[in-house]
Amino acid sequence: MNMEEKLSAEKVIVIDFGGQYNQLVARRVRECNVYCEIYSYKTDIEQIKAMHPKGIILTGGPNSCYEENSPTYQKELFELGIPVLGLCYGAQLMMHVLGGKVEKAPVREYGKIQVAVDSHSPLFADVPETTICWMSHNDYISQTAPGFSVCAHTADCPVAAAECAEKKLYAIQFHPEVLHTVEGTKMLYNFVRGVCGCTGAWRMDSFVEESVRQIREKVGSGKVLLALSGGVDSSVAAGLLSKAIGKQLTCVFVDHGLLRKDEGDEVEAVFGPNGDFDLNFIRVNAQERYYAKLAGVTEPETKRKIIGEEFIRVFEEEAKKIGAVDFLAQGTIYPDVVESGLGGESAVIKSHHNVGGLPDYVDFKEIIEPLRDLFKDEVRKAGLELGIPERLVFRQPFPGPGLGIRIIGEVTAKKVRIVQEADAIYREEIAKAGLDRTIGQYFAALTNMRSVGVMGDERTYDYAVALRAVNTVDFMTAESADVPFEVLQVVMSRIINEVRGVNRVFYDLTSKPPGTIEFE
Ligand code: GLN
């Protein structure tokens, strides 16, 4: 078996019924070193059969399976001889289709619930007999389908899990993919590695090797153009393409003057002529152009639009100088694909710039997206594999419009300097306190508020900086992080002392929702 066959032999398919956690299911499966893709429940069974999956997982979903017009799947899916695991809606649907009964539950369960499991079931191997699981359901399985036996229950839910071991069909009412389910990863591991018999061939070193081979095959002697932002995705794409095709790759890095302190130089140090990668690197210093366009603009969406459009203009000018290329590379990752509604069935969350609009201003024949199948944590692993420095790979998430949306109101060179300095101090102190890998996301923003203060016995009338730090469980919501008061105090005093133009520092306590993580 060659590498490609080996990798594809290991595929598990997630069939999406519109659940909130569909991407998490796939991520958790991949953490078991098993490759996995998400497909809509509308996907034809022939297409599923043709992929020869080693296992199938049905996700949760908002509907009630006994209602007309609710998402469903034909019975044949359960007769292919391929192991199937139904989660929540998927579990209910499996019972419903196979002759069991699903009804509105007398008691709905939501949150962490104690579940008693039968540890003889292969699904619950090595799981303690009582364990905390995450529940979120209004309906319940009141009667299992013929051939099934109950292998878990709770105080209010007689069928928390059921199995037909002979046909390798498993139904779980709770959500093993959510981290609140203490043994959830083990259960998914038991399913994909145990029941489905996957060997765990999906690893980042084999991904890199295989991608390099595929890129070489596809690109041949062609030329590839990539817009490098300095973000994790485009950096890893650059690293991968460089390894595959070297100088056939040209990266254009636009410094729009809205990057964090010293960030432009850091990107250049890694990918520029003195860096470690074999590629053509073009840095465009477009700061002045951006500040000129943004002068007097205060409306957040207008600012975003200007920053986005200007990026296209600058990139276009560079592309013209380079002339026709064969491929335009993009750092699209799997969540972009799924969230754009191209992969799964959950509501379209946002149309992602990488997927929706292809730039029509560059003369290229084809798009190449080497990270299209990867989740963010896998992109990071691939980045380390490729030798991209840790500080870039574990870089704090940074919005496309950059500091432009962390400066409330008009953007000016002076304000950019203030927020850059304040943010650098904040990041430095967080790292010093050893919190840089424990807090999800943290940054400084510049409010548009000026207030009166006193410094050196003189009246000041300066700006207020807002510090933000949030933690997110599973990326659905966020809460402000518990940064120790002593750390905040040091940050405050350093910002006031070292950054001219600031006389007040706030800490933002707002969670998401109702707040967003960024300010604009
Ligand atoms: N809608 C179904 C219920 O309420 C399934 C919920 C889910 O999949 N989370 O029981």
Side-chain angles (χ1 to χ4, degrees):
M1 220 194 306
N2 70 24
M3 180 68 76
E4 196 171 10
E5 282 162 354
K6 202 163 141 201
L7 286 173
S8 60
E10 290 271 319
K11 193 187 277 188
V12 164
I13 299 290
V14 171
I15 301 187
D16 181 10
F17 289 92
Q20 294 181 69
Y21 307 125
N22 58 12
Q23 288 196 34
L24 269 183
V25 177
R27 273 179 53 199
R28 297 277 172 263
V29 170
R30 295 211 194 165
E31 281 167 18
C32 302
N33 298 112
V34 173
Y35 185 66
C36 164
E37 286 177 351
I38 305 170
Y39 289 90
S40 160
Y41 71 91
K42 290 178 187 147
T43 307
D44 193 274
I45 193 155
E46 291 308 322
Q47 198 187 328
I48 294 195
K49 280 182 355 199
M51 291 186 271
H52 300 293
K54 298 275 277 184
I56 296 170
I57 300 178
L58 314 180
T59 74
N63 303 79
S64 289
C65 62
Y66 47 79
E67 267 166 13
E68 227 181 304
N69 301 326
S70 283
T72 185
Y73 212 94
Q74 67 213 76
K75 200 171 166 195
E76 196 191 336
L77 187 73
F78 305 100
E79 295 163 350
L80 299 173
I82 301 170
V84 184
L85 172 65
L87 306 176
C88 205
Y89 185 83
Q92 297 166 357
L93 185 72
M94 183 189 290
M95 291 303 123
H96 181 71
V97 169
L98 296 177
K101 196 159 188 197
V102 177
E103 300 176 81
K104 179 140 277 353
V107 182
R108 43 177 287 221
E109 291 174 301
Y110 184 82
K112 296 179 189 173
I113 309 273
Q114 189 165 344
V115 178
V117 307
D118 175 359
S119 52
H120 299 301
S121 164
L123 209 51
F124 300 129
D126 292 327
V127 174
E129 278 174 8
T130 54
T131 181
I132 298 293
C133 300
W134 182 257
M135 286 280 194
S136 171
H137 66 121
N138 300 311
D139 298 332
Y140 82 133
I141 299 163
S142 55
Q143 206 185 308
T144 54
F148 279 81
S149 58
V150 176
C151 52
H153 66 272
T154 73
D156 292 312
C157 182
V159 187
E163 65 179 2
C164 174
E166 184 201 333
K167 293 187 177 150
K168 299 194 174 172
L169 303 179
Y170 296 86
I172 308 187
Q173 181 58 69
F174 51 85
H175 290 275
E177 71 275 22
V178 174
L179 288 176
H180 297 307
T181 299
V182 179
E183 302 285 349
T185 306
K186 194 181 282 169
M187 296 170 191
L188 289 171
Y189 186 95
N190 285 342
F191 179 70
V192 296
R193 301 289 295 268
V195 174
C196 303
C198 293
T199 55
W202 172 250
R203 288 177 195 274
M204 277 308 114
D205 49 353
S206 42
F207 168 82
V208 167
E209 221 174 278
E210 177 59 19
S211 302
V212 163
R213 198 188 59 73
Q214 282 176 4
I215 292 167
R216 281 189 188 139
E217 197 173 285
K218 182 165 184 175
V219 171
S221 58
K223 280 209 272 180
V224 180
L225 181 63
L226 170 74
L228 187 66
S229 69
V232 182
D233 303 341
S234 66
S235 296
V236 175
L240 195 55
L241 286 159
S242 155
K243 186 172 165 121
I245 54 165
K247 290 242 168 9
Q248 287 164 258
L249 169 68
T250 299
C251 292
V252 175
F253 169 58
V254 178
D255 185 342
H256 51 23
L258 302 166
L259 297 167
R260 287 171 295 194
K261 193 183 176 190
D262 299 332
E263 203 159 42
D265 296 341
E266 283 171 17
V267 171
E268 184 168 344
V270 175
F271 294 104
N274 300 322
D276 296 328
F277 291 91
D278 183 27
L279 49 81
N280 298 305
F281 178 83
I282 299 172
R283 174 172 177 171
V284 190
N285 290 313
Q287 292 89 330
E288 299 313 322
R289 278 179 71 156
Y290 274 87
Y291 299 155
K293 285 271 173 191
L294 288 166
V297 183
T298 56
E299 207 279 313
E301 279 306 305
T302 316
K303 282 161 67 177
R304 279 178 180 266
K305 229 178 241 144
I306 290 173
I307 297 168
E309 269 164 23
E310 200 55 19
F311 177 82
I312 293 180
R313 294 288 88 76
V314 176
F315 189 62
E316 182 174 43
E317 284 168 25
E318 290 311 311
K320 270 193 195 130
K321 287 184 209 159
I322 295 165
V325 293
D326 303 281
F327 298 90
L328 182 71
Q330 293 194 315
T332 313
I333 68 171
Y334 198 48
D336 304 335
V337 177
V338 176
E339 284 171 18
S340 299
L342 302 179
E345 191 49 40
S346 61
V348 175
I349 300 162
K350 58 175 179 180
S351 63
H352 196 278
H353 64 275
N354 278 343
V355 180
L358 295 183
D360 49 8
Y361 49 89
V362 182
D363 189 3
F364 68 96
K365 289 197 213 101
E366 222 180 306
I367 278 276
I368 182 167
E369 295 172 316
L371 308 177
R372 205 185 152 81
D373 292 332
L374 300 191
F375 285 109
K376 195 78 170 189
D377 30 0
E378 295 173 316
V379 173
R380 292 207 169 98
K381 280 189 205 150
L384 294 177
E385 197 70 45
L386 287 160
I388 297 172
E390 285 204 15
R391 60 164 200 288
L392 241 172
V393 168
F394 291 99
R395 199 179 94 128
Q396 278 282 302
F398 194 56
L403 297 177
I405 57 167
R406 289 182 182 172
I407 293 170
I408 300 174
E410 187 188 8
V411 174
T412 63
K414 182 183 163 204
K415 285 177 163 180
V416 169
R417 184 197 50 82
I418 292 178
V419 77
Q420 276 179 338
E421 297 293 334
D423 182 68
I425 291 170
Y426 188 30
R427 283 189 288 137
E428 198 181 310
E429 291 301 328
I430 290 279
K432 243 192 243 169
L435 297 168
D436 49 337
R437 293 274 180 95
T438 51
I439 300 176
Q441 200 178 339
Y442 51 93
F443 58 87
L446 188 61
T447 73
N448 206 19
M449 187 196 91
R450 295 172 83 188
S451 64
V452 175
V454 56
M455 243 192 262
D457 281 347
E458 251 179 64
R459 179 186 191 273
T460 58
Y461 185 60
D462 282 331
Y463 285 109
V465 160
L467 303 177
R468 182 109 168 105
V470 294
N471 283 320
T472 165
V473 181
D474 299 341
F475 305 97
M476 313 290 292
T477 57
E479 267 167 37
S480 86
D482 190 1
V483 180
F485 201 62
E486 313 86 73
V487 178
L488 290 174
Q489 265 175 321
V490 173
V491 175
M492 176 276 294
S493 111
R494 281 196 58 195
I495 290 177
I496 302 283
N497 283 309
E498 297 172 34
V499 188
R500 301 248 341 233
V502 181
N503 68 352
R504 219 172 267 272
V505 176
F506 293 127
Y507 185 70
D508 183 354
L509 282 171
T510 322
S511 59
K512 169 193 177 179
T516 51
I517 292 175
E518 298 291 343
F519 281 69
E520 284 195 338

